[in-house]
Amino acid sequence: GESVGLHLPTLSVQEGDNSIINCAYSNSASDYFIWYKQESGKGPQFIIDIRSNMDKRQGQRVTVLLNKTVKHLSLQIAATQPGDSAVYFCAERGGYNKLIFGAGTRLAVHP
Amino acid sequence: GAVVSQHPSWVICKSGTSVKIECRSLDFQATTMFWYRQFPKQSLMLMATSNEGSKATYEQGVEKDKFLINHASLTLSTLTVTSAHPEDSSFYICSARADSYTIYFGEGSWLTVV
């Protein structure tokens, strides 16, 4: 398999603060990237995506930044809410349209 | 919107038996589906790419004879875990590709082998 992490790093933030979750991807040829949110016991939920010809894309309360030079992706969540608590994964689309997931980050939002 | 459905949501089976998990695209046709496995506190690991009407493509290290994948129609792919053992207990997730940039995930299936 690929991109299997042994431990999920945790980002703890206060409710109302902004959160930044980072991801390093592996394949410089990947042309499409997605951020997913996964709640306990559920499948991944699409948050936002970005194509490789862009370096920034904004959604509602979320922004994705792509730095192809260093193969880095970040997800910014504005005014983080308790409902944002989950595990966040970045995924890159490589050969044969396969989505390969990063190790994931657990976001814990405290009141 | 489009939905991908997995069945069963959870299953318990005895060691040595086989168990089948279904993945259906409910309102779109999917020529390509993907199967992932996820262990607790870990990421999703791609197991195989399921192509309608042809053999699945397995990732390195995934036993094709143990994890049988069939994609007999444009809306259904099945994963059969053969001769299951406790170490196969995991969360299995499928996804279906609707178009070049749209992939929908199922809600996952919990497998416990006792």
Side-chain angles (χ1 to χ4, degrees):
Chain A
E2 301 178 53
S3 298
V4 175
L6 294 178
H7 302 284
L8 287 175
T10 298
L11 173 66
S12 295
V13 300
Q14 291 293 122
E15 180 178 358
D17 287 352
N18 297 332
S19 302
I20 299 177
I21 300 171
N22 297 303
C23 175
Y25 63 92
S26 58
N27 188 351
S28 58
S30 295
D31 63 349
Y32 178 55
F33 304 88
I34 308 173
W35 278 101
Y36 288 95
K37 173 185 180 183
Q38 187 180 32
E39 296 176 324
S40 182
K42 296 185 177 181
Q45 175 188 351
F46 174 93
I47 300 174
I48 191 168
D49 59 358
I50 189 168
R51 302 186 188 188
S52 59
N53 61 351
M54 304 172 68
D55 53 22
K56 181 179 180 179
R57 189 153 189 247
Q58 288 184 292
Q60 187 177 15
R61 278 202 311 121
V62 294
T63 300
V64 54
L65 299 178
L66 174 62
N67 185 330
K68 293 183 290 294
T69 303
V70 295
K71 293 190 287 187
H72 184 268
L73 202 63
S74 69
L75 175 69
Q76 300 177 4
I77 304 174
T80 314
Q81 303 168 0
D84 295 326
S85 294
V87 178
Y88 290 80
F89 294 99
C90 68
E92 58 181 304
R93 186 178 75 172
Y96 303 102
N97 283 315
K98 296 187 294 187
L99 270 186
I100 303 302
F101 281 73
T105 298
R106 181 176 302 280
L107 177 64
V109 182
H110 303 285
Chain B
V3 175
V4 172
S5 174
Q6 281 186 242
H7 177 81
S9 300
W10 58 270
V11 57
I12 300 173
C13 72
K14 291 184 177 180
S15 186
T17 63
S18 296
V19 59
K20 181 186 289 186
I21 301 170
E22 295 184 346
C23 178
R24 293 181 185 273
S25 56
L26 297 186
D27 56 3
F28 67 97
Q29 294 183 330
T31 55
T32 305
M33 294 183 175
F34 302 91
W35 286 96
Y36 293 83
R37 178 168 56 182
Q38 185 178 31
F39 292 110
K41 299 184 180 181
Q42 293 189 21
S43 186
L44 283 75
M45 182 189 78
L46 180 64
M47 299 175 67
T49 302
S50 173
N51 301 298
E52 187 270 334
S54 64
K55 291 182 179 180
T57 304
Y58 290 82
E59 294 299 302
Q60 190 173 7
V62 178
E63 301 174 60
K64 63 177 69 175
D65 293 331
K66 180 167 186 62
F67 299 100
L68 301 180
I69 292 172
N70 183 274
H71 195 152
S73 78
L74 288 170
T75 60
L76 174 64
S77 175
T78 60
L79 168 67
T80 301
V81 183
T82 63
S83 187
H85 291 285
E87 58 265 31
D88 298 323
S89 299
S90 187
F91 190 45
Y92 291 88
I93 305 170
C94 75
S95 66
R97 185 160 63 92
D99 57 42
S100 295
Y101 291 100
T102 308
I103 295 176
Y104 297 99
F105 279 82
E107 282 300 310
S109 299
W110 287 98
L111 169 64
T112 301
V113 184
V114 297

